[in-house]
Amino acid sequence: MIRSKNEKEIASMREAGALANAVLLDVAKSIAPGVTTREIDVYASECIQGYGAKSAFLGYRGYPCHTCISVNEEVVHGICGERGIQFGDIISLDVGVIYQGFIGDNALTVAAGGCDLSTQNLMDVTEHALHEGISKAVKGNRVVDISRAIQNHVESNGFTVVREFVGHGVGRKMHEEPQIPNFVDGSPSPKLKSGMTIAIEPMVNMGGPEVRVLADQWTVITKDRKPSAHFEHTILVTDGEPEILTCAIRTDLKTKALS
Ligand code: MF3
Ligand code: CO
C-alpha cells in the first residue's frame, strides 16, 4: 500500500526539497577542471551543514561519501576520491539531504569547462526526458505513464535507458514505494495519487543500456565505457499539475554564512 503524505509531511518535503536543490546548484558551480571529486564532496558536506541538513547518502548501506559524483562512463553512485576532473569531462552529481526528518533527492549532469556537441545532446535529452516524465506524474495516471514518456524521449533521440536502477518514492526514507522505472517493463503499475512524493531519475547512456558495478561495489559504469547522464527531481503529485519539490529559487533559504 503506497501512502499519500498529509499536509504537514508535504510542508516538510518542500523544505527538504528546496534545501537539496540549493546544495545541488551550489556544488555544481564548484565543478571545474583540476578539482578532485573528493574536494567536490567535502564542499558539498560544508554546504549541507551550512543549511542545517544532513547527507541522506553518507552511511546508507555503508556508502562512504556525502554525494554521488559519477564521471563520464560512470552512471551513478560514483564514490569521491583523488580523481581530478579534466576539461570536457561530464559529471553527474547526486545530492540527497535529510532535513527535519524528510529527504529531498536530486541530481544533474554538467560538463567541466566544455564538451562536444554529442555529449551536450546526451545531457539535454536526459534532462528533457526527466521533464517529460514529470509531466505524466498526475493523479489518475499510472507509474508506467512516467516510464513510457521517459523511454520514448530517450530512444527517439538515439540513446538508451539503464534498466538496473530506477526512481523511487521518497519521504522519511530515501527509498519508498513505488519504484519508478525509466522503461516499460510490462509489470502491473500502481496508480498515482495526490500527496505521493516520488523521485524521478532517468539514467541515459550514449551507447548500449548495459551497466556493471565496479569492485568498490558502488560505482556503476556503462559496459561499453561510453558516457552516461543522470537528472533527478523529487516531485509531489497533486490534484492538478505536478510540483517539483527540489526547486531552490527561494529567497528565504539561508546558509549559516549568510544568516
Ligand atoms: N539518488 C540515488 C538513489 O536514489 C542516490 C543513492 S546513493 C546511496 O538511489 F549511496 F545513498 F545509495
Ligand atoms: Co534517487
Side-chain angles (χ1 to χ4, degrees):
M1 184 59 196
I2 304 161
R3 211 176 58 78
S4 289
K5 271 135 191 116
N6 62 38
E7 277 308 319
K8 205 170 154 225
E9 292 168 317
I10 289 169
S12 299
M13 285 298 291
R14 286 196 178 103
E15 296 300 308
L19 280 188
N21 193 245
V23 172
L24 183 71
L25 298 183
D26 282 354
V27 177
K29 281 186 270 182
S30 78
I31 295 174
V35 175
T36 69
T37 55
R38 188 179 313 283
E39 286 168 334
I40 297 168
D41 192 67
V42 167
Y43 180 65
S45 81
E46 290 165 1
C47 282
I48 294 169
Q49 227 190 2
Y51 286 110
K54 277 191 172 167
S55 165
F57 300 170
L58 182 67
Y60 178 85
R61 298 185 180 196
Y63 186 74
C65 299
H66 302 82
T67 61
C68 300
I69 304 172
S70 310
V71 184
N72 296 338
E73 76 284 0
E74 296 174 358
V75 178
V76 286
H77 303 167
I79 292 179
C80 62
E82 305 324 309
R83 179 173 183 168
I85 302 295
Q86 296 187 337
F87 182 91
D89 283 349
I90 60 166
I91 294 89
S92 296
L93 175 67
D94 194 339
V95 170
V97 303
I98 310 178
Y99 185 68
Q100 295 179 349
F102 288 85
I103 291 175
D105 190 7
N106 60 175
L108 54 69
T109 305
V110 289
C115 66
D116 56 42
L117 279 184
S118 59
T119 309
Q120 183 62 52
N121 190 35
L122 172 71
M123 294 189 285
D124 290 345
V125 166
T126 308
E127 186 170 19
H128 196 156
L130 168 59
H131 288 279
E132 291 289 322
I134 291 172
S135 75
K136 302 294 180 198
V138 294
K139 189 175 82 169
N141 271 359
R142 291 183 184 276
V143 167
V144 70
D145 295 307
I146 300 172
S147 310
R148 188 185 306 105
I150 292 170
Q151 183 175 23
N152 281 348
H153 186 73
V154 169
E155 292 181 352
S156 65
N157 281 281
F159 299 128
T160 63
V161 291
V162 171
R163 267 57 172 179
E164 286 83 348
F165 299 88
V166 297
H168 49 92
V170 56
R172 284 191 179 276
K173 289 196 292 177
M174 182 157 62
H175 295 141
E176 300 184 345
E177 281 183 81
Q179 294 201 341
I180 318 282
N182 299 301
F183 60 99
V184 177
D185 64 2
S187 65
S189 183
K191 258 203 175 148
L192 295 166
K193 290 192 211 131
S194 177
M196 285 174 56
T197 48
I198 56 179
I200 306 178
E201 50 178 320
M203 288 142 269
V204 175
N205 295 352
M206 178 104 68
E210 302 84 7
V211 297
R212 67 181 194 85
V213 180
L214 292 183
D216 64 20
Q217 301 209 9
W218 280 105
T219 312
V220 179
I221 65 164
T222 56
K223 265 203 179 137
D224 57 17
R225 308 279 169 131
K226 291 188 178 163
S228 184
H230 177 216
F231 282 80
E232 174 178 30
H233 272 306
T234 298
I235 69 113
L236 169 70
V237 180
T238 74
D239 285 327
E241 294 216 337
E243 180 179 326
I244 298 176
L245 298 178
T246 39
C247 196
I249 311 304
R250 286 179 23 172
T251 52
D252 56 325
L253 285 179
K254 297 237 189 318
T255 70
K256 260 190 206 147
L258 291 174
S259 57

